[in-house]
Amino acid sequence: QQQVKQSPQSLIVQKGGISIINCAYENTAFDYFPWYQQFPGKGPALLIAIRPDVSEKKEGRFTISFNKSAKQFSLHIMDSQPGDSATYFCAASGSNSNSGYALNFGKGTSLLVTP
Amino acid sequence: GAGVSQSPSNKVTEKGKDVELRCDPISGHTALYWYRQSLGQGLEFLIYFQGNSAPDKSGLPSDRFSAERTGGSVSTLTIQRTQQEDSAVYLCASSSDPSYNSPLHFGNGTRLTVT
């Protein structure tokens, strides 16, 4: 079953606006929550990540908000730019002897930033 | 430095044929992961290698799928008697070790089309 649920499936934002993507998880053993960005024809690339001991992490225009009690986390993209148009995946993982630190991915959000 | 390299980048094959997909991880990375990305879906975890060992192969979709890793480096994913439902992008990722301190670096994938 899908261990990480992501919404919305697609998002259109005007240039300069804020893009918000939400994710929820069930497994309380997860202790690492990254966001990946994927452009067409390319593999996903790490954008930003957070661990559950903090509630927020900011890197440039990208911020992760984390709510441990609600088992939810979100990505905020401030001052969205057309170059941010891509598919964004949230993920979660925890140490597992059988799967290493394999990431459990959401289904992705296709973001389009209009000029 | 060089990233994760996957070959071929595209593969078209006829139903029933066998295919072999190759992954060259980042030099020195001991952990290697295979994922499958189907159209409109998230990334489905297939198998994890620590060194040359895969502790758990249950994530492989069927017994037509197999994977190996040699010399702690190159990995191959083999699909026997391909079916149309095998059409997808197969992604490989590596990390220096299986921990949250070592993010996964993805290759650009092999796009497999079974006709």
Coordinates of all heavy atoms in Angstrom, one line a residue, chain B residues 62-99:
Chain B
S62 N 8.0 -9.8 -10.1 CA 7.7 -11.2 -10.4 C 9.0 -11.9 -10.5 O 10.1 -11.3 -10.4 CB 6.9 -11.2 -11.7 OG 7.7 -11.1 -12.8
D63 N 8.9 -13.2 -10.6 CA 10.1 -14.1 -10.8 C 10.8 -13.9 -12.1 O 11.8 -14.5 -12.4 CB 9.8 -15.5 -10.5 CG 8.7 -16.1 -11.4 OD1 8.4 -15.4 -12.4 OD2 8.3 -17.2 -11.1
R64 N 10.2 -13.1 -13.0 CA 10.9 -12.8 -14.3 C 12.0 -11.7 -14.1 O 12.8 -11.5 -14.9 CB 9.8 -12.3 -15.3 CG 8.8 -13.3 -15.7 CD 7.9 -12.8 -16.8 NE 7.1 -11.6 -16.3 CZ 7.3 -10.4 -16.6 NH1 8.3 -10.1 -17.4 NH2 6.5 -9.4 -16.2
F65 N 11.9 -11.1 -12.9 CA 12.9 -10.0 -12.6 C 14.0 -10.6 -11.7 O 13.7 -11.3 -10.8 CB 12.2 -8.9 -11.8 CG 11.3 -8.0 -12.7 CD1 10.1 -8.4 -13.1 CD2 11.7 -6.7 -12.9 CE1 9.3 -7.6 -13.9 CE2 10.9 -5.8 -13.7 CZ 9.7 -6.3 -14.2
S66 N 15.2 -10.2 -12.0 CA 16.3 -10.5 -11.2 C 17.4 -9.4 -11.2 O 17.3 -8.6 -12.2 CB 17.0 -11.9 -11.6 OG 17.5 -11.7 -12.9
A67 N 18.2 -9.3 -10.2 CA 19.2 -8.3 -10.2 C 20.4 -8.8 -9.5 O 20.4 -9.7 -8.6 CB 18.7 -7.1 -9.4
E68 N 21.6 -8.3 -9.9 CA 22.8 -8.7 -9.3 C 23.7 -7.5 -9.3 O 23.6 -6.5 -10.0 CB 23.5 -9.9 -10.0 CG 23.9 -9.6 -11.4 CD 24.7 -10.8 -12.0 OE1 24.7 -11.9 -11.4 OE2 25.4 -10.6 -13.0
R69 N 24.7 -7.6 -8.4 CA 25.7 -6.5 -8.3 C 27.1 -7.2 -8.1 O 27.2 -8.1 -7.3 CB 25.5 -5.6 -7.2 CG 26.4 -4.4 -7.2 CD 26.0 -3.5 -6.0 NE 26.8 -2.2 -6.1 CZ 26.9 -1.4 -5.1 NH1 26.3 -1.6 -3.9 NH2 27.7 -0.3 -5.2
T70 N 28.0 -6.8 -8.9 CA 29.4 -7.4 -8.8 C 30.4 -6.4 -8.5 O 30.4 -5.2 -8.9 CB 29.7 -8.1 -10.2 OG1 29.6 -7.1 -11.2 CG2 28.7 -9.2 -10.5
G71 N 31.4 -6.9 -7.7 CA 32.6 -6.0 -7.4 C 32.2 -4.8 -6.6 O 32.9 -3.8 -6.5
G72 N 31.0 -4.9 -6.0 CA 30.5 -3.7 -5.2 C 30.3 -2.5 -6.0 O 30.2 -1.4 -5.5
S73 N 30.1 -2.7 -7.3 CA 30.0 -1.5 -8.2 C 28.8 -1.7 -9.1 O 27.6 -1.5 -8.7 CB 31.3 -1.3 -9.0 OG 31.1 -0.1 -9.8
V74 N 29.0 -2.1 -10.3 CA 28.0 -2.2 -11.4 C 26.9 -3.2 -11.0 O 27.1 -4.3 -10.4 CB 28.6 -2.7 -12.7 CG1 27.6 -2.9 -13.8 CG2 29.6 -1.6 -13.2
S75 N 25.7 -2.8 -11.3 CA 24.5 -3.6 -11.1 C 23.7 -3.8 -12.4 O 23.7 -2.9 -13.2 CB 23.6 -3.0 -10.0 OG 22.5 -3.8 -9.8
T76 N 23.2 -5.0 -12.5 CA 22.3 -5.2 -13.7 C 20.9 -5.7 -13.2 O 20.8 -6.5 -12.3 CB 22.9 -6.2 -14.6 OG1 23.2 -7.4 -13.9 CG2 24.2 -5.7 -15.3
L77 N 19.9 -5.2 -13.8 CA 18.5 -5.6 -13.6 C 18.1 -6.3 -14.9 O 18.2 -5.8 -16.0 CB 17.6 -4.4 -13.3 CG 16.2 -4.7 -13.1 CD1 15.9 -5.5 -11.8 CD2 15.3 -3.4 -13.1
T78 N 17.7 -7.6 -14.7 CA 17.3 -8.4 -15.9 C 15.9 -8.7 -15.8 O 15.3 -9.1 -14.7 CB 18.1 -9.7 -15.9 OG1 19.6 -9.4 -16.0 CG2 17.8 -10.6 -17.1
I79 N 15.2 -8.5 -16.9 CA 13.8 -8.9 -17.0 C 13.7 -9.9 -18.1 O 14.0 -9.7 -19.3 CB 12.9 -7.7 -17.4 CG1 13.2 -6.5 -16.4 CG2 11.4 -8.1 -17.3 CD1 12.5 -5.2 -16.8
Q80 N 13.2 -11.1 -17.7 CA 13.0 -12.2 -18.7 C 11.6 -12.2 -19.2 O 10.7 -11.8 -18.5 CB 13.3 -13.5 -18.0 CG 14.8 -13.7 -17.6 CD 15.0 -15.0 -16.9 OE1 14.3 -15.4 -16.0 NE2 16.0 -15.7 -17.3
R81 N 11.5 -12.6 -20.5 CA 10.1 -12.8 -21.1 C 9.3 -11.6 -20.8 O 8.2 -11.6 -20.2 CB 9.4 -14.0 -20.5 CG 10.2 -15.3 -20.7 CD 9.5 -16.5 -20.1 NE 9.1 -16.4 -18.7 CZ 10.0 -16.6 -17.7 NH1 11.2 -16.8 -17.9 NH2 9.5 -16.4 -16.4
T82 N 9.8 -10.4 -21.3 CA 9.1 -9.1 -21.0 C 7.7 -9.1 -21.4 O 7.2 -9.8 -22.4 CB 9.8 -8.0 -21.7 OG1 10.0 -8.3 -23.1 CG2 11.2 -7.7 -21.1
Q83 N 6.9 -8.4 -20.6 CA 5.5 -8.2 -20.9 C 5.2 -6.7 -21.1 O 6.0 -5.9 -20.6 CB 4.6 -8.7 -19.7 CG 4.9 -10.2 -19.4 CD 4.4 -11.1 -20.5 OE1 3.3 -11.0 -21.0 NE2 5.3 -12.0 -20.9
Q84 N 4.1 -6.4 -21.6 CA 3.8 -4.9 -21.9 C 3.7 -4.2 -20.6 O 4.0 -3.0 -20.5 CB 2.5 -4.8 -22.7 CG 2.6 -5.2 -24.1 CD 1.4 -4.9 -25.0 OE1 0.3 -4.9 -24.5 NE2 1.7 -4.7 -26.3
E85 N 3.2 -4.8 -19.5 CA 3.1 -4.1 -18.2 C 4.5 -3.8 -17.6 O 4.6 -3.1 -16.6 CB 2.3 -4.9 -17.2 CG 2.8 -6.3 -16.9 CD 2.2 -7.4 -17.6 OE1 1.7 -7.1 -18.8 OE2 2.1 -8.5 -17.1
D86 N 5.6 -4.3 -18.2 CA 6.9 -4.0 -17.7 C 7.4 -2.7 -18.3 O 8.4 -2.1 -17.8 CB 7.9 -5.1 -18.2 CG 7.6 -6.5 -17.6 OD1 6.9 -6.5 -16.5 OD2 8.0 -7.5 -18.3
S87 N 6.7 -2.1 -19.2 CA 7.0 -0.8 -19.8 C 7.0 0.3 -18.7 O 6.0 0.5 -18.0 CB 6.1 -0.4 -20.9 OG 6.2 -1.3 -22.0
A88 N 8.1 0.9 -18.5 CA 8.3 1.9 -17.4 C 9.7 2.5 -17.5 O 10.5 2.1 -18.4 CB 8.1 1.3 -16.1
V89 N 10.0 3.5 -16.7 CA 11.3 4.0 -16.5 C 11.9 3.3 -15.3 O 11.4 3.3 -14.2 CB 11.4 5.5 -16.4 CG1 12.8 6.0 -16.1 CG2 10.8 6.2 -17.6
Y90 N 13.1 2.7 -15.5 CA 13.8 2.0 -14.4 C 14.9 2.9 -13.9 O 15.8 3.2 -14.7 CB 14.3 0.6 -14.9 CG 13.1 -0.3 -15.1 CD1 12.4 -0.3 -16.3 CD2 12.7 -1.2 -14.1 CE1 11.3 -1.1 -16.5 CE2 11.6 -2.0 -14.2 CZ 10.9 -2.0 -15.4 OH 9.8 -2.8 -15.6
L91 N 14.9 3.3 -12.7 CA 15.8 4.2 -12.1 C 16.7 3.5 -11.1 O 16.3 2.6 -10.3 CB 15.1 5.3 -11.4 CG 14.3 6.3 -12.2 CD1 13.3 7.0 -11.4 CD2 15.3 7.3 -12.9
C92 N 18.0 3.9 -11.1 CA 18.9 3.4 -10.2 C 19.4 4.5 -9.3 O 19.6 5.7 -9.8 CB 20.1 2.7 -11.0 SG 21.5 2.2 -9.9
A93 N 19.7 4.3 -8.1 CA 20.2 5.3 -7.2 C 21.3 4.7 -6.3 O 21.3 3.5 -6.1 CB 19.1 5.9 -6.3
S94 N 22.2 5.5 -5.9 CA 23.3 5.0 -5.0 C 23.5 6.0 -3.9 O 23.1 7.2 -4.0 CB 24.6 4.8 -5.8 OG 25.2 6.0 -6.2
S95 N 24.0 5.5 -2.8 CA 24.4 6.4 -1.7 C 25.7 5.8 -1.0 O 26.0 4.7 -1.2 CB 23.3 6.5 -0.6 OG 23.1 5.3 0.0
S96 N 26.4 6.7 -0.3 CA 27.7 6.3 0.2 C 27.5 5.2 1.3 O 28.4 4.3 1.5 CB 28.5 7.5 0.8 OG 27.7 8.2 1.7
D97 N 26.4 5.3 2.0 CA 26.0 4.2 2.9 C 24.5 4.3 3.3 O 23.9 5.4 3.0 CB 26.9 4.3 4.2 CG 26.7 5.6 5.0 OD1 25.6 5.8 5.6 OD2 27.6 6.4 5.0
P98 N 23.9 3.3 3.8 CA 22.5 3.3 4.0 C 22.1 4.0 5.3 O 21.9 3.5 6.3 CB 22.1 1.8 4.1 CG 23.3 1.2 4.6 CD 24.5 1.9 4.1
S99 N 22.2 5.4 5.2 CA 21.8 6.2 6.4 C 21.2 7.5 5.9 O 21.3 7.9 4.8 CB 23.0 6.4 7.3 OG 23.7 7.5 6.8

